[in-house]
Amino acid sequence: MGNSYTGHLQSTRFEEVLHNSIEASLRSNTVVPRPVFTQLYLEAEQRPYSHDGRGDEDEDEEDGSDSNTPPIPYQMRPPPDGSCTTDGFCQAGKDLRLSSMATESLEVAPGFLLVGAKSPSMPDHILVCAVDQRFLPDECGRNALLGFSGNCMGCGEKGFRYFTEFADHINLKLTTQPKKQKHLKYHLLRNAQGILVKGPPICWKGIGKIAQEFLVNKDTILHFMRMGILLYKRIASNGWMFSATFLLILLTSCRHKGWSPESSAPTEVTPRPAPNSTTNGTKSVVPTTLSWASCSARLFVCVFLSVGHGTLPHLCGNLGDVLVSGLLQKCYLNSQNLPRVYEQYGTAPIQPISTEMLILLTVYYLVQLAPDQAPLMEDLEQIFMRSWRESHLTEIRQYQQTHAQIAPPLPCLAQPLTPSQLPWLAKLATSSCGEGVLVLDTAPSLAEALEETFHRLVDGRLSQTNYVVIICMNRSQEIESCVVVTGKHQTRALAESLLSPSDCVREIVHELIEPTGDSPKAKCSEYYVEWHEIRPIQLAVARKLLSHVCAIADSSTQNLDLGSFDKVEFLICVPPSEVTFHQVVLHLWNSGLLRELGLDQDCLSVKEAEQYVVKLNQSAVGKINSLIQKSKMNPYTLFILVHDHAHWDISSGQCSGGDSSLGLVDSLLNCRQIRDASNILTLHVTSFPFTLQTQYTRISPYNEIHWPSGFNNDVDLYHEKTKYFGVSELLETTRSGSGLPLLRYDSSFESMAAALEERLPKLHSAVIRTHVLIQHYSLALMVTAGGQALQALQKHISVETLEMVQCLLNTSQRCPSRHGHMLLLRIPSPALAAFAHQRLCHVRNRLGLHKQFEVILGDPCSALTVGKHFLDQLRVWLKILDPDWAPLTYLELEALPCILILTGMDPLGESLPRSLKYCDLRVISCWSLQRTTLEQELGLAAYLLKTKQDGQHGPHARCDLSESDPEKLSSTDNEDEEVVVDGQYCKTRTHERILSRDSSISLLSFNTSLNNELPKLGNQASPAGTQLPQSDWTPLDPDKQPNQRRQSKSTSSGSSSTRASPLRQSCSWARNLSRPPVVLLPKAVYDLITTVDSSGLPKSTSFLPHSAVEWVSSFRPLLSKMMTCTEQSLYYRQWTVPKPHHMDSSNRAEGRPDNFHPRKLLLSGPPQVGKTGAYLQFLGILSRMLIRLMEVDIYDEEDINCSDHWFRFQSKLVALLCFWMPFDYIIHDPKYEDISTVYSPDFTPNSNDGNSRRQEDVYLHRRTARIKLSKYAAYNTYHHCEQCHQYMGFNPQYQSTLHAFTFSHLLLGEEIQLYFIIPKSKEHHFSFSQSGGQLESMRLPLTSDWNPDAIKSPIFTPTTGRHEHGLFNLYHAMEGAAHLHILVIKEYEMAVYKKYWPNHIMLVLPTIFNGAGIGAAHFLIKELSYHNLELERSRRVEHGSRPQDVWPFIILADDSCVMWNSVDVDPKRWTERNVSLKQVLQHMESSPNITQYGLCGMRKWSSRGGGAGQQKDPFSRGHLHDFLLLNVDLTQNVQYNQNRFTCDDVDFNLRAHSAGLLICRFNNFSVMKKQIAIGGYGTFIIKTKMTDVPTTIQPTQYICAPDSKHLFLATPAQLLLEKYLQHTSHRLFPLSAQNYSHPVLSVDCYLNLGPEVTVCFVSSRPHSINFSTTGLLFSGLLLYFCDSFVTPGFLKKFQFLKGATLCVICPNRSSLRQTVVRLELEEEWRFRLSDEFQTANAKEDQPLFFLTGKHI
């Protein structure tokens, strides 16, 4: 019960078993033992077949078993209820995995050892167990007792007496009988760090006596095993056992004294004739009879010589049949380089693999190859690497130790392999394979050995030999060796693998000799076309591309300035394929991109859209040059150069060798003009990016965009209606076992092709395979169309070919519109493809099937040709009325029953329609062992499946064998397939059918017999689609056929339920949309891609990526299955380098860490996944983003509080008459919609003008318009261009200095010290003292000065919180004119503003103003400017000027002013145009008598233009906001209120007007304000003193009673007062609410009392201008910080309603009482003690106090 077999040797002595097995293998050619080296040095690969065609057995099967019967299935006992059944855990739920228990402290019972068990369900993990050492073998494999005793190391359960019981407990989940020697694999040991690690394997089989005695003793073996460095495995074959330990010690490396790792040897692998020169006088004669006719094989000689100890002898004679390659020599040389990896870290030298070892390993490798396998240098390199590592495992581990004490290296205990032992061991290795590998060691020289080999080949003595290994000793006693490949299959494979694509074409052309309706009336409602549907994942990829472009622009390198571009243009470069060219043009035309980019006016048809797509041939030179010239002429246009199918033609332009077609991409797209153009961005698009991912690549890894992978479920995020079915999904169907795999090979076809290759060895395999394929298709057409008359021909046709032809003919007959499937026939050679097209058309026409399906030749050099009958069908299906229309792409062949013969050495990006059902790749090259070559052929079958709602069909959906019998899908493998042929079942053994010599039809006789028999078939064949036996046959013409089929009643074409249920669909084409195509491959290719390496990836992924690159080292890690696309990119960037003819070979980084092109992007995705649609979408959203970058949200609001009553007082006056124009008290700026209306006797508010919105709501919901920036716009810090680069000052040479400036002011009561930050480039605007360089003043021009390139007024911009978004770049707005611009900032923001605007002058406010509002900034700007004006007047007087001649104006500009407009004078209509700020200011500064105005400004822009009334007048007097031209001389006595946070401009306007100053608004100019949601003085934060976190506080809590316990707020008192009055004044002044005729009287100030209260402003100053208030009753009185000008007599001039409210505001309680007394307020106003309030500030924060009262 699992314990009957132990570690004891069997009764037969080991020596007898060994000798008997060797004798048996020498006598028999049928039995092939398992090779030794496979278990030692190869990864655990899944090799499908061995020498005899059987699959390899599990290497872990019991070796001692004498039975060859299959293992008996084992049924595990059901686990106890509630127990754990998780892999890696015991039934008690405890973790047993070594990775989890490595660091745990484990208690092992005495006499027990820790061992590792392997579970089939967890091949990557080892389970920790404790087993009684009595039941385990010793180091020699002996002395193990029968039975079992073990303990569980997880839960601690002990006493398991049967291994079966123990296996159930630790959840091994076995399918075969549990055996301890099969599942207990390794000893577990503690390393130096105390971590439990895997030790040496358990030696269950023992070591033979002969092995112990041959060059090694027992003590040596035991020592190695104790050190844990022997990989001990057994081999079970032919009944004898062989110890891997013996072989390992035998092959321990001891470098031959003649081999030097530094030696060099030629490594070229291109075929070349044998050398004619000789250096040692030896000569080898190739017999003249060695030809194709005599030996039926072409020799492929791989020469290996120890460098400096022999050369290839001189060959003479028939040299045309001998090829010499350096592949093996290069492989050997690479194996010597691995020790350098350790030597470069300062370690002691490690010996490379010896010459004898290399030769012996090569022999073992050749022995294990199957008869139909060709040797791969990649496999051999892996063998050498594993052998070297295991031989030096001890030394390598010592070099990897991190602790200080390193043990001394062990001496080489095993004796090295000597030259005298090599031939004997090599022959011993070949004894198991019969005559497959022959070792010649008797010749004294290499020349004589080669001559002997040639004679044996001519005499026919090597007919069963595939490889001849020559080993000889020269006169210097040094080994010379050579491998001669003589096998027909291997010779052909190796020879063809060395041919370049161009050489292959020439070879085939040289060898090839050529021998001598109406549209259907019925319609299919299930047909629909979705070529141009954009999928969510394509949009996602387009956005990823855009984000990478933005990342380039945002980087500090400034390689791409997106802000300077206002337009996108593009050019798409495709390979020189007519179909690909028109395919991209079609996608472009239907994508809407041309319309979106504004190019549709020049492109009115698809033909005109071709100007944006170019084929990469000589015609592309002119278009590329034109694009370069356009990029120079249009610096503000971003040109996108899309390089589609970028892995095609990666040849260097310098190595084209006169071939104009090679290196064209390099010379065009990598030229200096494109590389240096800052407005050209190159996007490379490919399905195989690893051709461009080398150490010298031009593309940064950060600029790679990879298609979302289904491996990590990225695709599920996009809610796709389709599912991509690619190469990995095809391979998965070969492993799933859920049905017939979609990836297959045709064994019958392979047998027929192999038979002809035997008879015609001189023909290229592609020629032979193509002729056989044409024969199969021709006969299948005859059988399908001929019915019973030609059933005898079925034995000459493979089942796969017959299935495809039947499906092609039958399915279209079921659809009323004759929709059918496409069969893709891939023939790379154009000459063979033309021949196949001719023959198939001939057979089809002779059979009368010319209206059933079309045969189309897909040549990349020519357009498609489709017959008239099928053209009419396509026009009807696609609803095309143009009679001259013809399909230009394969996509337009949707649902057309056809055979598409696709030619060309490589696919060039052609997309195939969804009607593709079969992809026949049986003729592709079997020996193009590069990853790109294999995967791009398989990529033709990539497919987008329609997802199913019912989940019936998924990625592993089974496909129909025959459309005539959909029930026949029960078969799950290829062994027994029942295929319907004309209604009868034909049961075949697919994998065992071998065409006999008698039944094969030769190519020569086939042509003759086919031509002779076709005329006889006219009246004998029966229709294939009717399924009815008929004796007479007529051609399948739909017009002549009786209606033998029922017409299906289909639902509407747009119905999803129709497509979701295959049983309801009569159209096979519609039903097939959810089924991927079936792919047929050559068996050699099938074996390669279905073989999985140790990482779980197909073996093809480890191949060289492309023939133009090479590996950096043979000793490299393998790709991992868990690697992402990014990790694969980094892998290839590390391990591959371009060859000299690669276009990136000249891109070596010279003294820099990289040499990446900053404007190159790489988009990679699997074939046929939709990359074209993705990058077209990218171009569209890139254009939209550039437009969005050039657009801003402008406030677009109409003026408020407009009344016709006011406009009748307006006159169309010039500026000189503004003196007599009335002042408009009403506020019209829409941003002040929620403030108190200023009373004017001439204004009557509208009854429906209810201003009830809160300020926050107004701010969030203000109307904006999206406006494109003009060339005169102001910009923020994100704008970069060459013109304003110096203006911005992003250069280290721009340094700033800090200057203090002090002046005094009476209102502040002390001196004010300000700081100027002045860049070196702006110091000319200031005057400094000559002694210490002290700042004296800011220079001002004279009024009479005039400079067309300068602005006289200094511009002050107060700003806060907008260091990134403030519009401070006025270079373009000023048209580059000289101007003085000063940013007024708060002290705590000085550093950040200086960082973003290093070349701007900054005025830093004092520290006490850090928490102040906009009023403080305006106050200091104005007072500083007046003080500076006085200083400048004094300075100018010293130079002879008058004081009044100094220019007195400054500009106060908001930081959101973005553009300025001017009204065109046109009496008929109001039109505005964008103008520069320079033009506006120069116009205002040059206005007559401008110095007599106190304040000038302009209106705010609105899309409604001037509106009606006042805005049509060129000038008006009223409130000015946002952009002011301020006369600091005339406004000397009118100051801004430094305490104000809101409405300070309204307050200043009213006081300036009352002071008699002229305020003029230029209505012909308007300013546009950008909506900036970040920062600004309008952002208020109210928080408590207890926490810094803003909290929700009601406005009623902004005030409190004096001396009360209240929650104090950490907010300025003035701000609390203004906010309180804004939100609660309708309760404070109840008589004023909604009562315009009874406003609140406000003396000398304007405060916002909320939108429901009207404020009447009056000035108490003598000679001030106030309108008459006679007869006006006020509902309240507001006294704010009133000064001495306010007297009791002044207040008695005004009349108040009874019950009117008084509010007196003062800075403290004492001044409040003094004000009440001084103004005698108690005479007319009643006060209560409870009517006194203060703002909710602590005493140290200086709260404001106010008192309220009622009028008596």
Side-chain angles (χ1 to χ4, degrees), residues 763-964:
L763 280 179
H764 195 283
S765 61
V767 179
I768 296 174
R769 297 174 73 88
T770 302
H771 278 77
V772 174
L773 196 68
I774 297 171
Q775 172 185 336
H776 276 220
Y777 276 107
S778 301
L779 293 177
L781 287 172
M782 294 167 60
V783 169
T784 305
Q788 298 293 335
L790 297 177
Q791 291 299 311
L793 294 178
Q794 289 188 16
K795 63 181 180 180
H796 305 302
I797 314 169
S798 67
V799 175
E800 287 79 3
T801 309
L802 186 60
E803 168 198 334
M804 293 187 292
V805 171
Q806 283 184 334
C807 178
L808 178 68
L809 291 177
N810 295 345
T811 53
S812 62
Q813 302 302 313
R814 298 198 186 104
C815 178
S817 295
R818 297 297 185 264
H819 295 145
H821 299 299
M822 172 183 283
L823 193 161
L824 175 66
L825 181 56
R826 175 81 173 106
I827 303 179
S829 169
L832 289 175
F835 170 72
H837 178 259
Q838 176 187 359
R839 298 304 302 165
L840 290 180
C841 287
H842 176 71
V843 173
R844 180 201 59 175
N845 297 338
R846 294 294 300 271
L847 292 174
L849 303 176
H850 57 282
K851 291 189 177 182
Q852 300 307 303
F853 69 95
E854 180 64 300
V855 181
I856 302 172
L857 179 61
D859 190 346
C861 300
S862 59
L864 296 179
T865 301
V866 181
K868 182 180 183 303
H869 170 74
F870 299 104
L871 277 178
D872 294 338
Q873 278 189 335
L874 290 173
R875 292 192 188 103
V876 173
W877 295 345
L878 299 176
K879 300 178 182 179
I880 295 177
L881 302 178
D882 183 7
D884 298 328
W885 176 87
L888 300 174
T889 68
Y890 300 145
L891 293 175
E892 295 168 300
L893 304 178
E894 186 67 70
L896 183 70
C898 63
I899 297 177
L900 174 62
I901 303 176
L902 184 62
T903 187
M905 295 311 296
D906 295 305
L908 298 181
E910 299 90 349
S911 295
L912 298 171
R914 295 171 301 168
S915 56
L916 174 67
K917 186 167 184 180
Y918 295 101
C919 194
D920 192 344
L921 307 180
R922 288 178 285 182
V923 189
I924 65 172
S925 174
C926 306
W927 314 113
S928 298
L929 301 182
Q930 288 91 34
R931 183 179 179 184
T932 300
T933 306
L934 288 177
E935 291 188 4
Q936 69 181 351
E937 296 290 352
L938 292 173
L940 293 171
Y943 201 77
L944 285 175
L945 300 178
K946 302 293 291 185
T947 56
K948 292 294 182 179
Q949 296 178 355
D950 56 5
Q952 249 182 336
H953 301 279
H956 308 303
R958 290 182 285 182
C959 58
D960 294 337
L961 285 180
S962 174
E963 288 291 339
S964 59

Side-chain angles (χ1 to χ4, degrees), residues 1356 1358 1384 1403 1416-1425 1450 1452:
F1356 289 88
V1384 184
L1403 173 62
H1418 285 163
F1419 170 78
L1420 286 177
I1421 292 171
K1422 181 178 174 299
E1423 298 310 317
L1424 172 67
S1425 299
I1450 66 170
L1452 284 177

Side-chain angles (χ1 to χ4, degrees), residues 443-648:
S445 66
L446 193 61
E448 295 182 17
L450 283 174
E451 188 168 0
E452 180 183 353
T453 302
F454 296 151
H455 285 295
R456 288 193 181 196
L457 190 60
V458 172
D459 297 340
R461 287 180 287 170
L462 299 180
S463 59
Q464 303 298 324
T465 302
N466 296 329
Y467 309 96
V468 177
V469 180
I470 300 174
I471 304 173
C472 60
M473 300 288 293
N474 60 14
R475 297 177 180 177
S476 302
Q477 295 301 307
E478 294 171 349
I479 292 181
E480 295 182 347
S481 68
C482 177
V483 176
V484 183
V485 183
T486 58
K488 303 177 181 63
H489 179 79
Q490 290 79 8
T491 304
R492 184 190 301 274
L494 290 172
E496 293 180 4
S497 66
L498 296 183
L499 293 176
S500 65
S502 57
D503 294 335
C504 185
V505 172
R506 285 192 291 267
E507 182 88 5
I508 293 175
V509 172
H510 177 73
E511 295 175 359
L512 183 62
I513 301 176
E514 294 192 61
T516 353
D518 295 331
S519 302
K521 298 179 180 179
K523 294 184 179 180
C524 174
S525 60
E526 298 172 1
Y527 181 79
Y528 61 100
V529 176
E530 297 178 355
W531 301 336
H532 319 295
E533 179 183 4
I534 298 301
R535 311 192 326 270
I537 195 171
Q538 290 177 301
L539 291 175
V541 173
R543 295 189 183 103
K544 287 177 66 176
L545 278 167
L546 182 65
S547 67
H548 277 73
V549 173
C550 294
I552 298 175
D554 292 340
S555 65
S556 59
T557 56
Q558 298 182 2
N559 290 311
L560 189 66
D561 181 16
L562 288 179
S564 63
F565 302 124
D566 56 4
K567 184 182 178 183
V568 171
E569 290 193 16
F570 65 93
L571 183 65
I572 303 174
C573 303
V574 299
S577 167
E578 290 291 330
V579 172
T580 304
F581 173 77
H582 291 291
Q583 171 184 301
V584 175
V585 171
L586 187 64
H587 283 301
L588 172 62
W589 175 253
N590 290 279
S591 66
L593 178 63
L594 297 176
R595 179 176 62 257
E596 189 168 356
L597 268 58
L599 305 174
D600 54 337
Q601 298 178 356
D602 300 330
C603 298
L604 303 178
S605 65
V606 180
K607 185 69 175 177
E608 295 175 344
E610 295 179 0
Q611 60 182 304
Y612 298 102
V613 185
V614 59
K615 288 179 286 188
L616 285 171
N617 49 27
Q618 290 301 320
S619 63
V621 178
K623 286 197 173 183
I624 297 294
N625 292 334
S626 175
L627 180 137
I628 294 173
Q629 295 302 319
K630 289 174 66 177
S631 68
K632 295 179 180 179
M633 297 172 59
N634 302 278
Y636 300 115
T637 300
L638 178 60
F639 293 86
I640 307 297
L641 190 58
V642 181
H643 180 203
D644 206 345
H645 214 66
H647 62 276
W648 175 83

